[in-house]
Amino acid sequence: MEQITAIVLAAGKGNRMHSEIPKQYLTLYGKPVLYYSLKCFEESPVGEIVLVAGENELDYCRTDIVDRYQFHKVRQIVPGGTERYWSVKRGLEAAAGASYVLIHDAARPCITVDMIERSIAEVKRSGACTVGMPVKDTIKLVDEQGNGMDTPPRNRLWQIQTPQSFSYDELWSAYTKMEREQAVDITDDTMIIERYLGKKTRVIEGSYYNIKITTPEDLQVAATFLKKVKKVVDTAQS
Ligand code: CTP
Ligand code: MG
C-alpha cells in the first residue's frame, strides 16, 4: 500500500532567535509552536508522522506534546543531527518503506491541510515539489564589500517554504550521493535533488501566511497569522 509520511523537523537550536528555549517550543496561544504543524498533519491525508527532535528534547516531545495532544499519527520520535540535512537523513531512515515523504519545518506553524493536499497531488505527478511564493521585494546579489553585483528579474524569484515533497526512493538516493561528496551551503531538500540527481523540482504555490519563525519579530507575525489561518482564539496564556 502507498504510504505517505510527514517528517517534521524540530531539532534546530534556533540561534537567530536568541532565545533560551528553541523557537519550536516557544508558546503561542498556550501551545508550543511545534503543536500547530503536528496538528495539521494529524488532520491531513498523511498516514504517518516522524518527528525529529533534539536528543535532550525527545522525552519532552513525547510526554508534553505527542501524548498530551494525542497525535496518533506520530509513530516515531528520533534524534536529529547537527545540520538540517542530517536531521532530514535521520527522519528518512525512520520513514523507511514510505512511498512519498513530506519534509516540514516545525518553525512554520501556519501550514494548512490544503497546502498538504496540493503537495501530495503534485508529488504524485512529478516526484519532487516544494511550496513557495513569488518574492515581493527586489532581490540583489551583494559582494563581500557590500556592493550590489546583480539584480535577478523579480518575476522569476520565489521564496521557498515547506512542506517539500518527494518520492522516498529518489530523495534517499540523492542523500546517498550527497554523503559521498562534500555537502556545502545546503539549506533545503529541493537543492539536494537538483544538485545530486540533476532532476527538476516543481515549485507550487504555498501561502504568504506560511512564514518560518526565524528572528524574534517573526513571533508576533506568526501569532497574527495563526489567528487568521487556524482561527485560534486569543484567550490562552500566550
Ligand atoms: N532543524 C533541524 N535540525 C537542525 C537544524 C534545523 O531539525 N540541525 C529544523 C529546525 O528545528 C526548523 C527547521 O529545521 O524547524 C528550519 O531550520 P531553521 O529555521 O534554520 O532553524 P534553526 O536551525 O533552529 O535556527 P538557526 O538557523 O537560526 O539556528
Ligand atoms: Mg538553521
Side-chain angles (χ1 to χ4, degrees):
M1 216 198 65
E2 196 175 75
Q3 179 67 259
I4 302 174
T5 301
I7 297 176
V8 176
L9 300 174
K13 301 229 184 306
N15 294 321
R16 287 170 287 178
M17 183 58 91
H18 302 297
S19 118
E20 193 91 341
I21 305 171
K23 59 192 182 182
Q24 60 274 25
Y25 307 120
L26 293 174
T27 302
L28 286 174
Y29 303 108
K31 300 196 172 73
V33 167
L34 167 63
Y35 160 90
Y36 294 98
S37 298
L38 293 178
K39 173 89 175 154
C40 190
F41 280 110
E42 189 79 22
E43 291 171 352
S44 80
V46 155
E48 290 190 1
I49 303 168
V50 170
L51 173 58
V52 185
E55 187 90 57
N56 299 325
E57 282 125 23
L58 297 173
D59 288 342
Y60 163 78
C61 284
R62 161 73 56 208
T63 312
D64 286 52
I65 303 181
V66 174
D67 288 351
R68 177 162 180 200
Y69 298 108
Q70 302 191 347
F71 291 137
H72 301 295
K73 289 185 183 175
V74 178
R75 299 292 153 76
Q76 295 183 68
I77 306 175
V78 298
T82 47
E83 300 290 340
R84 184 185 183 279
Y85 52 85
W86 293 129
S87 295
V88 174
K89 179 85 194 308
R90 299 289 98 77
L92 285 174
E93 284 161 0
S99 319
Y100 299 103
V101 282
L102 278 68
I103 318 279
H104 182 64
D105 296 334
R108 293 184 192 273
C110 298
I111 180 177
T112 61
V113 170
D114 171 66
M115 221 179 281
I116 294 171
E117 287 174 348
R118 289 188 292 104
S119 295
I120 292 172
E122 182 55 46
V123 75
K124 286 184 177 179
R125 262 195 299 272
S126 61
C129 70
T130 180
V131 292
M133 289 304 281
V135 301
K136 299 180 187 180
D137 294 326
T138 293
I139 305 282
K140 257 191 192 304
L141 187 65
V142 178
D143 71 14
E144 278 159 4
Q145 286 73 44
N147 305 307
M149 290 168 68
D150 194 13
T151 311
R154 195 180 58 195
N155 59 5
R156 298 281 300 281
L157 291 173
W158 284 53
Q159 54 193 76
I160 298 308
Q161 308 176 336
T162 69
Q164 303 195 336
S165 312
F166 306 94
S167 133
Y168 181 92
D169 293 344
E170 274 183 13
L171 190 58
W172 181 260
S173 97
Y175 265 83
T176 309
K177 291 201 173 131
M178 184 197 81
E179 276 199 88
R180 284 196 228 117
E181 299 176 29
Q182 196 102 49
V184 279
D185 299 334
I186 289 181
T187 50
D188 82 336
D189 297 296
T190 57
M191 280 178 77
I192 293 180
I193 292 282
E194 289 155 11
R195 195 180 286 184
Y196 297 99
L197 293 190
K199 196 181 169 278
K200 287 203 169 85
T201 56
R202 300 284 306 164
V203 180
I204 64 170
E205 199 166 288
S207 157
Y208 284 121
Y209 291 114
N210 187 26
I211 64 156
K212 179 159 69 69
I213 298 174
T214 306
T215 51
E217 63 275 15
D218 295 333
L219 265 185
Q220 281 157 277
V221 181
T224 305
F225 285 0
L226 263 182
K227 211 193 286 189
K228 169 89 182 160
V229 171
K230 318 251 172 181
K231 302 184 175 62
V232 287
V233 186
D234 196 359
T235 53
Q237 57 283 22
S238 61

